[in-house]
Amino acid sequence: MRRLSRKKALSLVKELDAFPKVSESYVETSASGGTVSLIAFSAMALLAVLEFFVYRDTWMKYEYAVDKDFSSKLRINIDITVAMKCQHVGADILDLAETMITSSGLQYEPVIFELTPQQRLWQRTLHLIQGRLREEHALQEVLYKTLLKGAPTALPPREDASTEPLTACRIHGHVYVNKVAGNLHITVGKPIHHPQGHAHIAAFVSHENNQMFQYFITVVPTKLNTYKISADTHQFSVTERERVINHAAGSHGVSGIFVKYDTSSLMVTVSEQHMPLWQFLVRLCGIIGGIFSTTGMLHGLVGFCFDVVCCRFKLGVYRPRAVSFGHIYPSQLLLQPFLLHTSGNCFTV
């Protein structure tokens, strides 16, 4: 009884088969069909490999939200060399909340202003990298993914023991400021702080070739989440201008280096995205199914073109064949032997 029930179940399943099989004796192979099959399998393999490379690749997703962190401090790294002696120059920061940030975290180091060949090479390389990053924004995603450190951003030390006088001052270090707009200025004279502000003592410094350098920086808080690192960092954009201070010509102002910075109220979250496995499998099935569905039409078109070419140039089955009848019966003595020419489905006598 169990065997009978199994046979009935199998027969029922066979009757429900929506894909009936065709006997191999009814299947006819042809050169055009083989050509189409070869093209189809080659296209499947090529597209599957390309889709696999797309699956392995990642991309960066950018999301924007309001920055709700107002209590944290912003770290500013400073490394600048001024062509003045250290006792004649001073640096400090004043923000929008009238909070004075002293330059206690900065170091004043007497140096030679002229760079060595190695330092000039480092400077040109740094400018080249910064220029490429401004022009090619896609390079930033490469840096996000691979975490390329590149060359150190600090100026390499001098290798030669030069005897030139130390006529310049290198101001370097870092300070922590509030996340509000502020102004970092490096100008002539040491800063003196008092309850109503601050001043720079520059009475004993000569004012020749005075010039003002201004930099306007917008800082954007950024959260970076990749498969290698998660960090809180900042991006910034800068606009710069400079002009000569000449009171006689009407160009007034204070000579020095002024860096005005402001923090954006928006925060950017950069996360690395990857195609899920199920989506890759769906796309792969779509490629294979799409090619299979179009090969039938392509097979018919290629077969038709193949038949037209073969019929036109008498190739393959369309090649003329001669059939001779050598046996003649007595009743057909009056008939002359003849040749039957066949060509495809037609014949001529």
Side-chain angles (χ1 to χ4, degrees):
M1 295 297 292
R2 290 182 179 178
R3 291 181 180 178
L4 292 176
S5 61
R6 289 180 181 177
K7 288 182 179 180
K8 289 182 180 180
L10 290 176
S11 62
L12 180 60
V13 171
K14 289 181 180 179
E15 291 178 358
L16 295 175
D17 187 7
F19 304 95
K21 308 301 183 293
V22 180
S23 178
E24 295 184 358
S25 60
Y26 296 101
V27 178
E28 181 181 359
T29 59
S30 61
S32 60
T35 303
V36 173
S37 299
L38 183 61
I39 294 174
F41 288 130
S42 301
M44 287 180 192
L46 178 61
L47 294 179
V49 172
L50 294 179
E51 191 66 25
F52 177 72
F53 283 115
V54 173
Y55 169 71
R56 290 190 58 187
D57 193 16
T58 59
W59 63 89
M60 308 307 296
K61 181 180 179 181
Y62 296 85
E63 297 177 341
Y64 304 91
V66 178
D67 186 15
K68 300 179 181 179
D69 184 11
F70 301 102
S71 60
S72 62
K73 298 289 186 178
L74 179 65
R75 173 172 172 168
I76 300 179
N77 299 317
I78 301 173
D79 191 351
I80 185 172
T81 301
V82 184
M84 293 182 64
K85 293 184 178 181
C86 292
Q87 61 266 26
H88 296 159
V89 66
D92 53 3
I93 300 176
L94 180 64
D95 60 16
L96 191 62
E98 298 183 356
T99 301
M100 179 63 61
I101 308 298
T102 62
S103 58
S104 58
L106 302 179
Q107 299 179 10
Y108 295 80
E109 179 184 354
V111 294
I112 301 174
F113 188 75
E114 295 296 330
L115 301 178
T116 63
Q118 181 184 5
Q119 291 176 336
R120 290 185 181 275
L121 178 60
W122 168 86
Q123 186 182 36
R124 289 195 298 267
T125 304
L126 185 61
H127 288 171
L128 179 61
I129 294 175
Q130 292 175 349
R132 290 297 185 182
L133 287 175
R134 293 190 187 100
E135 296 175 0
E136 302 292 340
H137 299 285
L139 293 177
Q140 189 174 11
E141 295 190 2
V142 177
L143 294 177
Y144 283 152
K145 293 180 183 179
T146 58
L147 297 179
L148 297 177
K149 299 297 183 181
T153 56
L155 182 69
R158 303 180 69 93
E159 296 182 351
D160 57 338
S162 178
T163 57
E164 298 181 12
L166 305 178
T167 58
C169 181
R170 179 189 177 193
I171 305 174
H172 60 96
H174 64 272
V175 292
Y176 291 92
V177 299
N178 299 320
K179 297 179 68 173
V180 295
N183 185 6
L184 163 66
H185 47 276
I186 303 173
T187 186
V188 180
K190 294 296 182 180
I192 296 179
H193 304 283
H194 53 84
Q196 297 183 355
H198 75 290
H200 289 261
I201 302 299
F204 303 101
V205 181
S206 60
H207 294 272
E208 296 179 1
N209 299 325
N210 294 333
Q211 196 161 357
M212 176 187 291
F213 300 89
Q214 292 180 309
Y215 301 89
F216 303 92
I217 300 177
T218 301
V219 182
V220 181
T222 304
K223 286 187 176 182
L224 179 62
N225 298 318
T226 66
Y227 290 104
K228 294 184 179 180
I229 191 175
S230 296
D232 294 336
T233 181
H234 295 84
Q235 302 180 78
F236 68 91
S237 61
V238 58
T239 304
E240 58 184 88
R241 62 186 298 266
E242 60 180 276
R243 63 185 178 92
V244 177
I245 302 300
N246 189 349
H247 298 285
S251 178
H252 304 288
V254 180
S255 61
I257 302 172
F258 299 90
V259 181
K260 296 182 179 180
Y261 63 90
D262 192 6
T263 306
S264 175
S265 58
L266 293 179
M267 180 180 60
V268 181
T269 301
V270 184
S271 56
E272 188 176 6
Q273 301 291 322
H274 186 272
M275 181 187 298
L277 179 60
W278 65 266
Q279 187 175 358
F280 168 70
L281 296 177
V282 169
R283 291 167 64 97
L284 197 62
C285 293
I287 291 174
I288 298 175
I291 293 177
F292 264 117
S293 62
T294 56
T295 49
M297 180 180 63
L298 184 62
H299 182 203
L301 180 61
V302 172
F304 175 75
C305 297
F306 190 81
D307 291 339
V308 170
V309 173
C310 292
C311 183
R312 176 65 179 83
F313 296 99
K314 307 297 182 182
L315 301 175
V317 296
Y318 297 95
R319 181 179 300 174
R321 296 192 302 271
V323 180
S324 61
F325 296 87
H327 301 282
I328 302 176
Y329 295 95
S331 60
Q332 299 176 340
L333 290 176
L334 297 178
L335 298 177
Q336 299 294 330
F338 62 91
L339 296 178
L340 179 63
H341 297 277
T342 63
S343 176
N345 297 327
C346 303
F347 66 91
T348 58
V349 178

